[in-house]
Amino acid sequence: MTPNTAHLRNVAIIAHVDHGKTSLVDKLMYQSGLYRSEELDRRAGGQHGLVMDTGDLERERGITILSKNCAVTYQASDGDTYRINLIDTPGHADFGGEVERVLTMADGALLVVDAFEGPMPQTRFVLQKALACGLRPLVVVNKVDRPDSRPDEVVSEVFDLLADLGADDEALDFQTVYASAKEGWAATSLDDDRQDMRALFEAIVEWVPPPRYADVEAPTQLLVTSIDYSDYVGRIAIGRVFGGALEARQRVAVIDRHGENTQQQILQLLSFQGLDRTETKRVEAGDLCAVVGLDPINIGDTIADAAQPEALPAVTVDEPTLHMT
Ligand code: GDP
């Protein structure tokens, strides 16, 4: 079930390759309480790989190619529990259109920048797209454990980059979190205690807005952002619910990019939990989910209300600015 949207955050993680996106998400997962702790892992004598970089191909190339989602739950200092959907964003320009598509699922961007290297070409590329999608960045200066790190300069380089990209005052007034994903801590000031990732969780809850476009009363609309395939269930559509809600066994209209629609029935709904997907009965506007049982279905299709089928605007490569009204 979707938590109340006030307790939901959809964050795209954007970074230049090697700046620590995978390590950071890995630590967030381990510390969210949902996942085995590293301590347990160590005690078990197990080696754990980085959870986000799983494909052999990715390991081979040393970059995160596939966009994946995972979710963590976090009990904030206000006592409330939040679900944070972490959306991995491909950093490479080669994957035309994919970055934009992935960014449509998010309401804020976690911009990870290496505390020594500072912003690099991919930082600029993805940040520009995030701004075009109306996402405000939360800046994580990572690797501050590096002896050669220069966090203060890097923060001003990020500011200059944002200004150069024409960011508005709100985006320029970004929150900075310093982190060492390697050591597993984050802090809002370099003088703070270096203990855990709490400061980053808190910053996400505070700085990333709750879902926009989340009218549960509206007709059902989900934009298909990626497709998975399983031998058992076939095609699995992944995306964000922009309006209304989806229910397991619901009859829906699947509208393709030519506007053709087919009436189909959802067999199963899955919501993200850690790296797993768990079956759920209902997913409401604002949340992300995986939908089983629909075929034909493709990236860019809309899963819509069977009685009032209306397509969401397609995300195209030529038009990086996505305005959804
Ligand atoms: P990604 O390409 O952005 O996903 O980056 P990775 O998480 O794979 O990290 C790239 C490299 O930087 C790896 O060798 C990590 O061990 C290293 N790394 C990541 N975070 C830190 C950190 O906080 N401090 C240091 N010193 N190294 C880090």
Side-chain angles (χ1 to χ4, degrees), residues 288-311:
L288 315 182
C289 66
V291 186
V292 174
L294 305 178
D295 194 357
I297 191 148
N298 290 292
I299 288 172
D301 291 1
T302 301
I303 301 175
D305 189 297
Q308 311 172 52
E310 201 182 316

Side-chain angles (χ1 to χ4, degrees), residues 63-80:
I63 56 166
T64 306
I65 297 172
L66 300 167
S67 48
K68 290 183 213 102
N69 306 312
C70 57
V72 293
T73 48
Y74 173 68
Q75 187 170 17
S77 55
D78 61 12
D80 291 351

Side-chain angles (χ1 to χ4, degrees), residues 16-23 142-143 145-146 180-182:
H16 186 81
V17 64
D18 273 352
H19 281 194
K21 186 169 62 166
T22 312
S23 309
N142 187 38
K143 307 197 191 185
D145 61 280
R146 281 179 67 158
S180 167
K182 186 177 166 189

Side-chain angles (χ1 to χ4, degrees), residues 27-253:
K27 284 298 190 304
L28 287 171
M29 301 261 287
Y30 274 105
Q31 292 189 20
S32 75
L34 257 185
Y35 221 68
R36 288 183 303 171
S37 75
E38 276 184 297
E39 179 57 26
L40 282 176
D41 226 57
R42 252 198 308 274
R43 272 191 244 154
Q47 285 272 325
H48 68 84
L50 293 181
V51 289
M52 241 188 161
D53 257 351
T54 43
D56 282 341
L57 182 64
E58 289 173 83
R59 221 169 284 129
E60 210 170 276
R61 297 198 192 164
I63 56 166
T64 306
I65 297 172
L66 300 167
S67 48
K68 290 183 213 102
N69 306 312
C70 57
V72 293
T73 48
Y74 173 68
Q75 187 170 17
S77 55
D78 61 12
D80 291 351
T81 300
Y82 292 80
R83 174 167 43 235
I84 302 169
N85 286 311
L86 298 167
I87 304 159
D88 186 21
T89 314
H92 268 224
D94 323 347
F95 298 88
E98 174 149 22
V99 176
E100 284 90 344
R101 266 204 314 271
V102 166
L103 291 174
T104 61
M105 293 202 277
D107 302 292
L110 206 71
L111 176 68
V112 183
V113 186
D114 183 306
F116 168 72
E117 283 199 340
M120 297 294 277
Q122 277 170 255
T123 317
R124 186 186 178 92
F125 173 78
V126 281
L127 182 57
Q128 185 171 29
K129 298 208 180 296
L131 291 173
C133 290
L135 305 183
R136 181 185 187 187
L138 166 59
V139 176
V140 178
V141 178
N142 187 38
K143 307 197 191 185
V144 294
D145 61 280
R146 281 179 67 158
D148 54 359
S149 73
R150 41 183 200 93
D152 294 336
E153 281 166 41
V154 167
V155 172
S156 50
E157 287 167 16
V158 170
F159 182 91
D160 293 345
L161 172 60
L162 278 162
D164 193 38
L165 291 171
D168 62 16
D169 289 346
E170 207 194 354
L172 286 172
D173 187 26
F174 58 85
Q175 168 74 22
T176 303
V177 175
Y178 302 93
S180 167
K182 186 177 166 189
E183 296 175 355
W185 59 266
T188 45
S189 149
L190 285 167
D191 303 325
D192 288 358
D193 280 350
R194 304 179 165 193
Q195 280 184 336
D196 52 35
M197 302 298 285
R198 236 168 206 277
L200 181 52
F201 281 115
E202 292 288 331
I204 291 172
V205 165
E206 187 182 343
W207 283 79
V208 175
R212 312 168 288 172
Y213 323 112
D215 182 1
V216 179
E217 304 304 321
T220 302
Q221 280 186 313
L222 175 145
L223 183 65
V224 179
T225 323
S226 58
I227 297 278
D228 268 7
Y229 182 82
S230 132
D231 283 341
Y232 300 105
V233 297
R235 292 170 85 76
I236 304 170
I238 294 161
R240 170 168 171 161
V241 185
F242 282 95
L246 288 184
E247 307 216 349
R249 317 293 305 175
Q250 184 180 342
R251 286 203 67 81
V252 292

